[in-house]
Amino acid sequence: MIHFIFGNTGAGKTTYALALKEQEQGIIFSIDHWNKTLFLEDKTPGDGVDWFLERIRRSDTMIQSLVTQLAGVGTPAILDLGFAKRKRREEFYKYARENKIPYQLHFLDIPKSIRRERVHSRNKTKGETFQFEVSDSDFEFMEDWFETLTPAELKIAIHITDRS
């Protein structure tokens, strides 16, 4: 089983993934953790979105390989990968179908004001889910970058609208 977790910045995806991990006895793949561990140290001020997208593409290849192995031994994969773009989500759905791995969508559809508050708090406290600081400009960039789920996706998703 693959659990896809969606939501914009500050929606609570990683916190949700941690709870789901306990419930499902699964393994979490969090793109923020991968980026921080593998790539951020090498980032230069001139590196932009394309720099990140290339590294995310490579991470996706590795993550899919590991998810296939987990599925083979019956361990659920919890994908906290952001999935801001519809095309990337569709590529993962296709991967799951081709590998005959069942999946469940989880959409954390939380109001912007609550999410912004959470990001400010996380930046300040640097708690359990903190990986790197998210500036106000990064937060706003992600607001426009994120493509909400389609009606077809929403139809099969667990749609969470209140996680205060």
Side-chain angles (χ1 to χ4, degrees):
M1 170 67 80
I2 301 173
H3 294 275
F4 293 103
I5 302 175
F6 311 119
N8 213 328
T9 303
K13 296 180 299 295
T14 303
T15 301
Y16 185 86
L18 289 166
L20 194 58
K21 172 188 168 200
E22 296 305 315
Q23 178 185 323
E24 298 292 320
Q25 296 299 297
I27 302 295
I28 297 174
F29 294 87
S30 174
I31 199 63
D32 289 349
H33 184 68
W34 279 59
N35 279 336
K36 179 183 176 192
T37 304
L38 297 173
F39 309 125
L40 277 182
E41 205 171 287
D42 303 323
K43 187 177 182 309
T44 66
D47 294 326
V49 173
D50 289 338
W51 184 89
F52 268 117
L53 293 176
E54 172 56 28
R55 279 141 189 86
I56 289 170
R57 186 193 61 74
R58 285 189 250 156
S59 293
D60 286 352
T61 300
M62 290 300 300
I63 288 168
Q64 287 179 357
S65 172
L66 295 168
V67 167
T68 301
Q69 292 178 58
L70 290 170
V73 296
T75 301
I78 300 162
L79 303 186
D80 171 22
L81 303 181
F83 292 112
K85 293 297 186 186
R86 188 171 300 115
K87 181 178 185 248
R88 183 168 175 235
R89 296 193 304 259
E90 289 170 357
E91 289 168 356
F92 266 85
Y93 303 153
K94 180 180 176 191
Y95 152 78
R97 286 190 305 270
E98 287 175 350
N99 288 278
K100 297 177 177 44
I101 305 171
Y103 59 90
Q104 175 65 61
L105 312 185
H106 304 258
F107 179 39
L108 282 68
D109 187 10
I110 308 303
K112 182 178 180 178
S113 60
I114 293 172
R115 292 185 291 103
R116 182 186 303 277
E117 219 173 90
R118 288 178 180 172
V119 167
H120 287 160
S121 176
R122 185 175 59 205
N123 285 345
K124 187 176 181 179
T125 63
K126 297 179 178 28
E128 180 182 17
T129 62
F130 179 82
Q131 293 296 326
F132 46 81
E133 190 162 311
V134 176
S135 68
D136 286 337
S137 62
D138 289 341
F139 181 88
E140 288 302 327
F141 173 82
M142 288 307 296
E143 285 300 295
D144 295 332
W145 184 258
F146 185 80
E147 295 175 348
T148 195
L149 275 63
T150 65
E153 288 173 304
L154 284 170
K155 187 175 181 178
I156 63 170
I158 295 171
H159 189 179
I160 298 156
T161 56
D162 183 18
R163 290 193 46 95
S164 4

